[in-house]
Amino acid sequence: MYSPADDHAFPDERVNDVLERIHQDTEIQTYLEAQNVNPVDRMRYNDHGAKHIEIVQHRALCLYDLLKSAGVEFNGARQQGLDEADEPVIIALAATLHDIGHVIHRDDHAYYSLPLAADILDRLLDEFYDLSDAIRIKGEVLHAILCHHSSETPLTTEAGVIRVADALDMERGRSRVPYEDGGRGINTISSRAIDTVSLRPGEERSVLVEIRMTNAAGVYQVDNLLKRKLKNSRLEDHIRIVAINAREDEDRLVERIEL
């Protein structure tokens, strides 16, 4: 979990101020509740609301911190002439707003998120930045929001972090692969097979993502969700994924798989 009070491998004062402002913003918090109605209540899919956003925020900032600790370079803010301190701001805002398009429809929600997020960013960024920097940060946030959808290719490392962090919300049935509540298809079964997801410094690569499964069905989830999101994320060379079947009371066909 990301904690503002901890020491980090990046300047964190600015992003911590932005996070505090996000948590106090009534419009944003209302969106995070309302965006769950279409996928959950009307389509009987899994959670895409406030809890999902909280998890993605934490995963994204923790992943960013590990990558920065390993010396991975980020190009989004830098190429816009912004400060290093703006990198986590871009990540935090994109993590917060990437799914608000669900209030319109789940299908193509990444595209619907863009105009809604743009309006919020116009208001919010004015409190922290002058017009020039606000426009540049807005563009980077919208790019990251768009590219969390696997059909679009991230052009910045910041956007890649959002893409991967979105997929890391997969513990105990929280997969980003949609499934119908109560269903028994492979998406449902494999999603519920994921027990825990942890991030830590890697040895061969910058970050190790360790996924503990309750049975081998979880491999489908890892392969069809996380591996797909990691592809073309700009982070393939920096993240190692290990999935472990932790169940002891079965004839384990799969004990460990590395991606």
Side-chain angles (χ1 to χ4, degrees), residues 51-66:
K51 184 61 177 178
H52 170 58
I53 297 306
E54 178 186 357
I55 291 170
V56 174
Q57 280 180 350
H58 286 290
R59 297 286 194 196
L61 289 170
C62 288
L63 177 57
Y64 170 70
D65 195 24
L66 289 169

Side-chain angles (χ1 to χ4, degrees), residues 227-244:
K227 184 178 178 180
R228 177 169 54 86
K229 285 290 190 95
L230 184 60
K231 182 180 180 182
N232 296 325
S233 68
R234 304 177 65 93
L235 299 177
E236 300 98 315
D237 294 336
H238 304 295
I239 297 177
R240 178 184 174 211
I241 302 170
V242 176
I244 300 171

Side-chain angles (χ1 to χ4, degrees), residues 73-80 87 140 155-158 234:
E73 293 189 2
F74 283 71
N75 66 310
R78 175 176 54 80
Q79 290 176 331
Q80 291 286 3
E87 295 170 359
E140 293 303 313
L155 302 179
T156 69
T157 323
E158 290 93 330
R234 304 177 65 93

Side-chain angles (χ1 to χ4, degrees), residues 13-24:
E13 183 176 356
R14 192 172 300 172
V15 69
N16 290 340
D17 288 344
V18 170
L19 285 170
E20 183 177 358
R21 181 66 182 83
I22 287 170
H23 295 151
Q24 296 171 349

